[in-house]
Amino acid sequence: MRIAILALQGAFEEHQRMLHSLHVETFLVRKLSDWQQPKDGVILPGGESTAMLRIMKDEELLLPIRQEIANGLPAFGTCAGMILLAKEVENDTRERIATMDISVLRNAYGRQLGSFFVDEEFKGIGNVPMTFIRAPYITKVREGVDVLSSHDGHIIAARQGKQLVTSFHPELNEDTRIHQYFLNMIQE
Ligand code: GLN
């Protein structure tokens, strides 16, 4: 198995480390020729979605990435990565990958609660540690989207077909079960 990790900005190294600890091969994507390699899935990391989108457009990555995910390439978006995959962002109108039938709110927890940690139930896994950093949450899911986790009445993880998103950063803890969940999704 070989997983592409979008590496324009943000927490891509942590995802790479996590996948290597699970003995999965990875490669980093910074430009179109990187992206054009064979792959079994893609990780869109956390960071700053606005910066990532700007670079994706400059590097002409946005449309090819959108096309492959729309055609069924498994994708896992964490935090900013979730914003990239959402069809609607309530407080941002920038063009995105927009392949998943969810609405999200950017920086949903406000300034006071910029970063925090919880231990919350994740469907099919049990309680997992979750680190939030200026995180978005999901305000709406449409048909075909399965809610996997909620915190304080807000949806923080969901799946639609081969797309998985989390508001939090599973790559910042030692727990590998969410990454393993994504790998299982690929093999289903
Ligand atoms: N606030 C960031 C954004 O809007 C997301 C934060 C993160 O990925 N940790 O893109």
Side-chain angles (χ1 to χ4, degrees):
M1 188 140 48
R2 196 152 184 265
I3 306 292
I5 303 176
L6 190 67
L8 304 176
Q9 188 268 341
F12 54 88
E13 277 176 12
E14 290 81 354
H15 279 290
Q16 195 176 31
R17 204 172 309 134
M18 188 120 276
L19 288 178
H20 290 174
S21 81
L22 293 167
H23 310 291
V24 173
E25 202 188 320
T26 62
F27 64 94
L28 299 179
V29 176
R30 296 202 165 94
K31 51 186 194 305
L32 189 58
S33 55
D34 300 330
W35 175 252
Q36 287 163 336
Q37 299 174 65
K39 56 188 111 40
D40 301 294
V42 58
I43 290 187
L44 308 164
E48 199 48 54
S49 57
T50 53
M52 288 187 207
L53 285 171
R54 185 165 14 88
I55 306 170
M56 280 168 89
K57 277 194 140 180
D58 288 350
E59 297 294 331
E60 296 184 351
L61 279 165
L62 184 59
L63 298 183
I65 292 177
R66 177 191 291 158
Q67 206 159 40
E68 283 198 50
I69 296 175
N71 287 340
L73 179 74
F76 178 18
T78 60
C79 203
M82 170 162 112
I83 295 170
L84 301 184
L85 289 174
K87 280 199 182 162
E88 188 191 37
V89 178
E90 297 197 3
N91 48 357
D92 195 299
T93 56
R94 257 166 279 250
E95 193 187 357
R96 266 167 273 113
I97 298 173
T99 45
M100 190 161 171
D101 288 303
I102 55 172
S103 300
V104 311
L105 186 66
R106 279 186 72 200
N107 302 322
Y109 294 93
R111 283 206 180 169
Q112 278 81 350
L113 210 55
S115 303
F116 60 98
F117 174 86
V118 299
D119 196 65
E120 193 67 80
E121 168 91 15
F122 192 101
K123 190 174 168 184
I125 296 184
N127 272 52
V128 296
M130 301 178 178
T131 301
F132 293 76
I133 304 170
R134 292 178 299 106
Y137 58 60
I138 300 173
T139 55
K140 239 176 278 159
V141 298
R142 291 176 195 82
E143 196 156 323
V145 179
D146 197 12
V147 172
L148 299 177
S149 185
S150 298
H151 173 67
D152 257 356
H154 299 297
I155 302 168
I156 53 165
R159 174 181 175 178
Q160 179 178 26
K162 297 277 183 188
Q163 297 183 74
L164 174 69
V165 290
T166 63
S167 295
F168 56 93
H169 287 264
E171 77 284 7
L172 297 184
N173 298 97
E174 298 303 302
D175 197 309
T176 56
R177 288 176 296 168
I178 307 268
H179 285 77
Q180 189 59 58
Y181 182 97
F182 177 57
L183 300 175
N184 294 346
M185 265 173 64
I186 295 175
Q187 284 169 328
E188 267 169 20

